[in-house]
Amino acid sequence: MAKKLKEKAKKVAYISVPSQIINSLSSSSLQSLLHSPKKASSSRKNSFIYFIIAPLLRNSKLWCFALFFFGLVGMLINLTHPLLLPFSTTRPCPNDLPVDHQQQQLQLIGFGSENISGDGVSVSISSSSSNVSQSSSFWEQPDGLGYRPCLGLTREYQRATESMLKERSKKYLLVVVAGGMNQQRNQIVDAVVIARILEATLVVPILQVNVIWGDESEFSDIFDLEHFKAVLANDVRVVSSLPSTHIMTRPVKEKRTPLHASPQWIRSRYLKRLNREGVLLLRGLDSRLSKDLPSDLQKLRCKVAFHALRFSPTIMGLGNKIADRMSSKGPYIALHLRMEKDVWVRTGCLPGLSPEYDEMISSERTRRPELLTARSNMTSHERKLAGLCPLNAVEVARLLKALGAPKGARIFWAGGDPLGGLEALDPITKEFPYLFNKHDLALPGELEPYEKKASFMAAIDVIVAERSDVFMPSHGGNMGHAIQGHRAYAGHKKYITPNKRHMLPYFLDDSLPEAEFNRIIKELHSESLGQPELRSSKAGRDVTKYPIPECMCNHTSSHSTV
């Protein structure tokens, strides 16, 4: 018995203390906790605490009840504490707040406070578990059917390349690309293909200053120029400027290439004059080159779009930081919201925010009818029922909810300022409170140098959207088309195409039970989730949006990747 007591006395006793409490203690406080002075047993037994604790220690059931009671009280206090409420639907932008307040807001939306600094180097993530259900079927990816990139070129193309690169270049193609960043990307793709058709050297495309945003960015500000040249080295020779022998040459100018221009048309139109003058200047290339090209040229288009046109290191670095912050708590949705004032005017649709805003858009359209790009013989209601209008915030929220998006899903939204301000997004934040854009996620000063560079900001949106687990546009457009192609080429990541024409009648039916509404919406979108789709199944499709069959092969086809 004495031996057992002696061994028992040698055992070390441990105190279980939550890590949060330990982190908040100074070293002196911690020492006092671990080495508190012993008290006389008589004083302990005479204390009030002894008479409360002793019965609990002797009665295990009473002890468990006490633990449950105090745990319940603590939980209720946490639930009502204002600092633990979800991110406010008023969505204050962190950059508009003092640094201390901003750090508190970053903690509320799921980021830890350690290493939060203005240099944007890193953001430590809090250890709390994600509020997104990882097992939700909403996050399941479509079956890619084994399709992978394959850009194997024919022997004829390779022989032509060898012959072209051996000769001293005498023909140069100058191209001026206009519009937004995603429009410019499309035109650069076409410029490379046209240079190949004409066997000309491509001078780095000139980005026209945008009259709306005043963005004076050059090619190398947005894209990685050296990477662009290296990837295309065996397809098209690319130079940064005209050689001195051609600077004084009067170029052949073409302001507008016709729609669906074929390789045969391009050769017959330009080749003779280009051989004579040495320089060809093209403008207005937007979607002018035929979408139905020989297989080798289709592969070249994919090579430019998916491999050569990489964003500059500065953009990639910042874009990936913001995407990392978005993905740090698990899967996320990316939305491209087309709710700007000019979009409502150009599409001939009404935003449905209020009678005042509808009147504003109608008046603007009446005053400037040339802005209307949709069919003018249809009313706004007819356009909506035909699926020609962007989804508003109410419809976006209902669609995501019907498709099974968890309420705690984190959502990144890209796009310009919506008509009506951020309050126009309230229907989304009501259903999905974790809604952010790049300004919400950026640290103080991170985006400030680029606020007036629309192409830079658009590229950040593209990077974060491409890395999302689920992407959905509220309306068609160049950005949505580009991301659809990239997600297909990456293995068919989930891409929701809203079936607006068929789903809107159900949106207008208030008598439909929610469960039945959700079933119908899911059924309507069962084949619109980014599954493999053949470009050749419909005329006029762009291979950079539908890369099968020219640029992707499955296990039954031969594989040849870049």
Side-chain angles (χ1 to χ4, degrees), residues 495 497 522-533:
Y495 182 104
T497 303
K522 285 182 179 179
E523 186 176 325
L524 286 175
H525 290 84
S526 61
E527 301 298 323
S528 305
L529 302 176
Q531 296 93 333
E533 201 168 345

Side-chain angles (χ1 to χ4, degrees), residues 38 75 99 122 146 148 217 272 279 318 339 441 453 509:
K38 294 181 179 180
M75 184 177 67
V99 174
S122 64
R148 295 291 182 269
S217 298
K272 186 176 180 179
V279 180
L318 183 52
M339 297 169 59
L441 298 165
K453 295 182 179 293
D509 186 356

Side-chain angles (χ1 to χ4, degrees), residues 6-237:
K6 189 176 180 180
E7 290 177 354
K8 188 174 182 180
K10 288 183 179 180
K11 289 186 178 179
V12 180
Y14 292 93
I15 302 173
S16 177
V17 182
S19 60
Q20 296 91 333
I21 295 177
I22 289 179
N23 293 335
S24 67
L25 292 174
S26 64
S27 60
S28 59
S29 300
L30 188 59
Q31 289 297 322
S32 65
L33 176 64
L34 296 176
H35 303 288
S36 56
K38 294 181 179 180
K39 294 183 181 180
S41 59
S42 59
S43 61
R44 176 175 62 84
K45 290 182 179 180
N46 292 331
S47 66
F48 176 75
I49 296 176
Y50 176 78
F51 288 103
I52 292 191
I53 299 298
L56 292 177
L57 293 174
R58 290 193 295 266
N59 191 325
S60 59
K61 291 184 178 180
L62 190 59
W63 173 244
C64 292
F65 176 78
L67 286 177
F68 173 79
F69 176 78
F70 287 113
L72 180 62
V73 171
M75 184 177 67
L76 292 175
I77 291 173
N78 283 338
L79 288 175
T80 56
H81 198 288
L83 290 178
L84 297 177
L85 291 175
F87 189 48
S88 170
T89 54
T90 57
R91 307 182 65 258
C93 178
N95 287 347
D96 298 332
L97 303 171
V99 174
D100 289 342
H101 193 180
Q102 186 205 8
Q103 291 181 356
Q104 185 185 65
Q105 290 295 328
L106 285 171
Q107 285 179 301
L108 293 183
I109 63 177
F111 300 130
S113 60
E114 302 94 343
N115 298 329
I116 296 177
S117 59
D119 60 10
V121 173
S122 64
V123 175
S124 295
I125 308 306
S126 65
S127 59
S128 60
S129 60
S130 172
N131 54 17
V132 177
S133 173
Q134 298 284 350
S135 61
S136 171
S137 61
F138 178 79
W139 303 110
E140 291 179 1
Q141 297 298 311
D143 184 356
L145 301 179
Y147 279 100
R148 295 291 182 269
C150 69
L151 301 181
L153 299 166
T154 64
R155 291 288 180 87
E156 182 182 356
Y157 182 95
Q158 294 172 0
R159 283 195 295 268
T161 297
E162 292 172 3
S163 174
M164 182 178 65
L165 295 179
K166 282 181 182 178
E167 295 181 7
R168 183 174 178 273
S169 183
K170 298 179 181 179
K171 299 178 290 185
Y172 292 87
L173 175 63
L174 289 170
V175 176
V176 178
V177 298
M181 189 275 296
N182 290 292
Q183 284 177 281
Q184 290 174 346
R185 283 210 294 184
N186 292 340
Q187 294 168 59
I188 293 169
V189 171
D190 286 354
V192 172
V193 175
I194 291 173
R196 173 74 194 199
I197 292 170
L198 297 172
E199 298 184 356
T201 295
L202 177 66
V203 180
V204 173
I206 301 166
L207 309 189
Q208 182 174 310
V209 177
N210 194 291
V211 294
I212 298 176
W213 298 294
D215 189 345
E216 299 181 357
S217 298
E218 298 181 357
F219 186 98
S220 58
D221 296 325
I222 307 301
F223 305 104
D224 189 331
L225 178 55
E226 296 309 313
H227 177 80
F228 182 76
K229 291 179 178 179
V231 170
L232 298 176
N234 293 323
D235 301 279
V236 173
R237 184 183 286 113

Side-chain angles (χ1 to χ4, degrees), residues 245-283:
T245 54
H246 287 66
I247 290 178
M248 300 304 293
T249 304
R250 185 178 65 181
V252 177
K253 295 183 180 180
E254 183 68 44
K255 293 183 179 180
R256 178 68 68 176
T257 302
L259 286 171
H260 313 302
S262 67
Q264 294 76 17
W265 185 93
I266 289 171
R267 290 191 189 97
S268 64
R269 176 79 175 182
Y270 302 127
L271 195 54
K272 186 176 180 179
R273 289 186 294 169
L274 180 58
N275 286 331
R276 183 178 66 247
E277 301 293 341
V279 180
L280 170 64
L281 173 62
L282 293 181
R283 295 176 177 268

Side-chain angles (χ1 to χ4, degrees), residues 313-547:
T314 301
I315 291 176
M316 289 297 294
L318 183 52
N320 281 322
K321 283 180 185 177
I322 293 177
D324 287 342
R325 293 167 197 165
M326 196 67 214
S327 64
S328 63
K329 301 294 290 181
Y332 69 93
I333 305 167
L335 298 176
H336 185 210
L337 300 180
R338 306 296 306 281
M339 297 169 59
E340 303 95 325
K341 179 181 177 181
D342 68 294
V343 174
W344 296 117
V345 173
R346 287 188 290 104
T347 57
C349 303
L350 296 178
L353 293 170
S354 68
E356 291 75 18
Y357 280 114
D358 286 352
E359 178 59 32
M360 177 196 301
I361 296 300
S362 297
S363 299
E364 181 80 7
R365 195 177 297 127
T366 301
R367 188 166 60 253
R368 301 186 63 187
E370 73 277 7
L371 296 177
L372 180 62
T373 56
R375 283 171 277 184
S376 58
N377 61 339
M378 299 174 69
T379 66
S380 59
H381 184 67
E382 289 171 337
R383 289 191 183 97
K384 191 172 189 67
L385 290 179
L388 301 176
C389 292
L391 298 178
N392 60 32
V394 173
E395 293 157 349
V396 168
R398 287 195 71 188
L399 176 56
L400 287 176
K401 187 177 179 182
L403 292 176
K407 188 173 182 64
R410 300 167 65 78
I411 300 178
F412 176 85
W413 70 274
D417 294 334
L419 178 66
L422 293 180
E423 290 79 8
L425 304 181
D426 283 349
I428 300 178
T429 55
K430 182 179 178 181
E431 295 292 341
F432 304 98
Y434 300 99
L435 179 69
F436 317 104
N437 66 3
K438 55 183 175 289
H439 298 284
D440 298 320
L441 298 165
L443 300 181
E446 251 181 341
L447 293 177
E448 187 176 347
Y450 317 108
E451 289 290 352
K452 295 183 179 180
K453 295 182 179 293
S455 293
F456 192 107
M457 302 295 268
I460 296 294
D461 278 344
V462 168
I463 292 171
V464 184
E466 284 181 354
R467 283 188 50 185
S468 67
D469 299 87
V470 178
F471 177 82
M472 186 180 84
S474 67
H475 193 54
N478 290 302
M479 177 175 169
H481 292 173
I483 291 177
Q484 179 174 345
H486 273 268
R487 294 178 78 82
Y489 198 72
H492 293 89
K493 296 174 66 178
K494 192 168 185 177
Y495 182 104
I496 301 171
T497 303
N499 191 339
K500 291 184 285 188
R501 186 165 65 89
H502 290 102
M503 76 182 188
L504 284 175
Y506 299 103
F507 276 67
L508 300 174
D509 186 356
D510 295 332
S511 64
L512 199 62
E514 184 176 6
E516 180 65 9
F517 173 81
N518 293 347
R519 185 194 64 77
I520 293 172
I521 296 302
K522 285 182 179 179
E523 186 176 325
L524 286 175
H525 290 84
S526 61
E527 301 298 323
S528 305
L529 302 176
Q531 296 93 333
E533 201 168 345
L534 293 177
R535 185 193 73 85
S536 52
S537 64
K538 190 174 181 180
R541 283 182 164 178
D542 191 337
V543 72
T544 62
K545 184 179 178 183
Y546 301 95

